[in-house]
Amino acid sequence: MWEEATREAANMLAMRPYPGFQGRWFDMPCRNLVPKAVQRPHPPMWVACSRRETIHLAARNGLGALTFSFLDPDQAAKWVEEYYDIIKSEECVPIGHRVNPNIAIVTGMSCHQEEAEAIRRGLDGFRFFGYSLGYYALFGEHRPGRADLWERFLQVKDQLPDNAGRGGIGTPDQLRAHLARYEKAGIDQVMFIQQSGTNRHEHICESLEVFAGHVMPEFKEREAVRDTEKRRELAPYIEAALARKPKMVPLDDAAIPHVEALGRKAPSPLLNSDRGGAIPIPTQDPLAAREAAAGN
């Protein structure tokens, strides 16, 4: 179901008009999807991954991998290597009309000049993020409107183990070192978890400002060079992958169907005379009437 829908969604974005499709799980008549995206043939496509197998799936389909696991850098390096090995191999057959070779990870983040304050502002919220996922997906029993998940969390928060995402909570120097290890591992993007638990909006904004002023600049300096080198290295592999993609055949103009308004087939509620001060709507095609008069 996912493969069929993802492939056809990309076709709808890329083709004008979309030729139509009848598949196992859904069908769609010939239509033109609007508005078209600014990026052509369509925006970069990603798939959310929580397992190593899904990262491989992303690479085989030429998709970016959003890895929602708190990986340590050594483990991340292995997953990055496997992902790009598949991107460069004949296994990569893009599901869309472009290849998006990118791998992203999630980490906690609370940045402050004082480590203790960064921890005070951000650690409980980060731990709550993991606790709540486990509660709702694995072990919890919930009474809507009555159960207080935050209070349950407070009773056990100090028993919860840390993970690699904890490294994003600290001073600018600590975050710089934390992110540099992922940069060295080959991770392309990092997504920050800041908004969980009782984290305060003003603390999140301040954390982002400190990060932007003291951590991000040096990574931005290296980004352009790294991106250029990466594009150059992957260009022949991406070209070969796109050549392997089975393409949906566009319709000839003569085969594009005429789609009639529903009112041409059955009485329309827009003809109801009791419409008050509604927008005036013509009941006949004024252009067709003018063309008919011109023909006479």
Side-chain angles (χ1 to χ4, degrees), residues 11 15 22 30 32 39 68 92 95 99 116 119 160 178 200 208 215-216 220 253 276 278 284 286-287 294:
N11 284 333
M15 303 181 75
Q22 287 188 334
C30 174
N32 185 41
Q39 303 100 317
F68 291 101
C92 180
I95 200 168
V99 177
I119 292 171
L160 299 176
H178 175 67
R200 298 177 61 86
L208 290 170
V215 182
M216 188 167 63
K220 291 291 289 184
D253 273 8
Q284 303 290 332
L287 181 58

Side-chain angles (χ1 to χ4, degrees), residues 31 43 93 101 142 150 190 213 226 246 249 286-287:
R31 293 292 187 270
V93 180
H142 197 71
W150 179 254
V190 175
R226 181 177 185 268
V249 179
L287 181 58

Side-chain angles (χ1 to χ4, degrees), residues 46-119:
W46 298 77
V47 62
C49 309
S50 59
R51 299 182 303 155
R52 178 181 177 187
E53 292 81 1
T54 316
I55 292 177
H56 294 175
L57 173 73
R60 288 196 299 270
N61 285 281
L63 302 172
L66 296 172
T67 63
F68 291 101
S69 296
F70 299 106
L71 306 175
D72 66 70
D74 291 339
Q75 185 182 11
K78 180 62 176 174
W79 287 19
V80 168
E81 180 183 9
E82 293 174 355
Y83 174 85
Y84 279 106
D85 282 348
I86 294 174
I87 288 285
K88 295 176 183 178
S89 76
E90 293 186 358
E91 289 185 64
C92 180
V93 180
I95 200 168
H97 291 252
R98 62 184 295 186
V99 177
N100 180 30
N102 281 288
I103 187 165
I105 65 160
V106 175
T107 184
M109 203 277 262
S110 175
C111 189
H112 194 276
Q113 295 291 359
E114 298 180 8
E115 180 183 9
E117 185 63 13
I119 292 171

Side-chain angles (χ1 to χ4, degrees), residues 288-296:
R290 189 173 71 183
E291 290 173 342
N296 292 335

Side-chain angles (χ1 to χ4, degrees), residues 150-173:
W150 179 254
E151 287 300 322
R152 294 177 65 92
F153 162 75
L154 291 178
Q155 296 178 52
V156 298
K157 67 173 188 173
D158 294 330
Q159 303 171 28
L160 299 176
D162 279 335
N163 57 49
R166 164 69 173 79
I169 298 173
T171 66
D173 286 344

Side-chain angles (χ1 to χ4, degrees), residues 1-295:
M1 293 173 69
W2 172 86
E3 181 180 352
E4 188 174 270
T6 303
R7 183 184 64 248
E8 295 311 312
N11 284 333
M12 290 177 200
L13 286 164
M15 303 181 75
R16 181 187 180 94
Y18 174 66
F21 177 77
Q22 287 188 334
R24 179 180 178 187
W25 303 107
F26 79 97
D27 58 79
M28 175 80 173
C30 174
R31 293 292 187 270
N32 185 41
L33 181 72
V34 292
K36 296 297 185 189
V38 172
Q39 303 100 317
R40 303 296 295 153
H42 53 65
M45 296 173 65
W46 298 77
V47 62
C49 309
S50 59
R51 299 182 303 155
R52 178 181 177 187
E53 292 81 1
T54 316
I55 292 177
H56 294 175
L57 173 73
R60 288 196 299 270
N61 285 281
L63 302 172
L66 296 172
T67 63
F68 291 101
S69 296
F70 299 106
L71 306 175
D72 66 70
D74 291 339
Q75 185 182 11
K78 180 62 176 174
W79 287 19
V80 168
E81 180 183 9
E82 293 174 355
Y83 174 85
Y84 279 106
D85 282 348
I86 294 174
I87 288 285
K88 295 176 183 178
S89 76
E90 293 186 358
E91 289 185 64
C92 180
V93 180
I95 200 168
H97 291 252
R98 62 184 295 186
V99 177
N100 180 30
N102 281 288
I103 187 165
I105 65 160
V106 175
T107 184
M109 203 277 262
S110 175
C111 189
H112 194 276
Q113 295 291 359
E114 298 180 8
E115 180 183 9
E117 185 63 13
I119 292 171
R120 187 186 73 82
R121 293 182 177 190
L123 183 57
D124 280 356
F126 176 64
R127 286 177 170 171
F128 179 74
F129 179 78
Y131 175 81
S132 61
L133 288 179
Y135 181 87
Y136 283 116
L138 299 174
F139 61 82
E141 183 177 352
H142 197 71
R143 297 185 66 215
R146 295 294 181 268
D148 190 329
L149 186 56
W150 179 254
E151 287 300 322
R152 294 177 65 92
F153 162 75
L154 291 178
Q155 296 178 52
V156 298
K157 67 173 188 173
D158 294 330
Q159 303 171 28
L160 299 176
D162 279 335
N163 57 49
R166 164 69 173 79
I169 298 173
T171 66
D173 286 344
Q174 289 171 325
L175 260 74
R176 189 178 299 109
H178 175 67
L179 295 175
R181 295 177 66 203
Y182 288 109
E183 182 184 45
K184 184 178 179 180
I187 292 293
D188 297 295
Q189 284 94 24
V190 175
M191 299 171 285
F192 292 139
I193 296 294
Q194 289 188 277
Q195 72 283 10
S196 189
T198 59
N199 290 8
R200 298 177 61 86
H201 174 72
E202 58 268 28
H203 292 168
I204 292 172
C205 291
E206 184 178 338
S207 175
L208 290 170
E209 290 171 357
V210 173
F211 176 84
H214 297 276
V215 182
M216 188 167 63
E218 68 177 70
F219 291 94
K220 291 291 289 184
E221 287 178 5
R222 295 192 289 268
E223 182 182 18
V225 174
R226 181 177 185 268
D227 187 60
T228 299
E229 293 174 349
K230 176 182 168 181
R231 288 177 182 273
R232 185 184 302 115
E233 177 189 356
L234 294 180
Y237 301 106
I238 291 175
E239 182 180 3
L242 289 171
R244 288 189 290 270
K245 173 181 170 59
K247 301 287 178 65
M248 178 177 265
V249 179
L251 290 179
D252 292 332
D253 273 8
I256 298 174
H258 291 268
V259 182
E260 293 185 325
L262 294 177
R264 294 174 65 111
K265 305 173 184 178
S268 170
L270 290 179
L271 294 176
N272 189 331
S273 60
D274 186 22
R275 296 174 57 241
I279 297 172
I281 299 175
T283 58
Q284 303 290 332
D285 185 353
L287 181 58
R290 189 173 71 183
E291 290 173 342

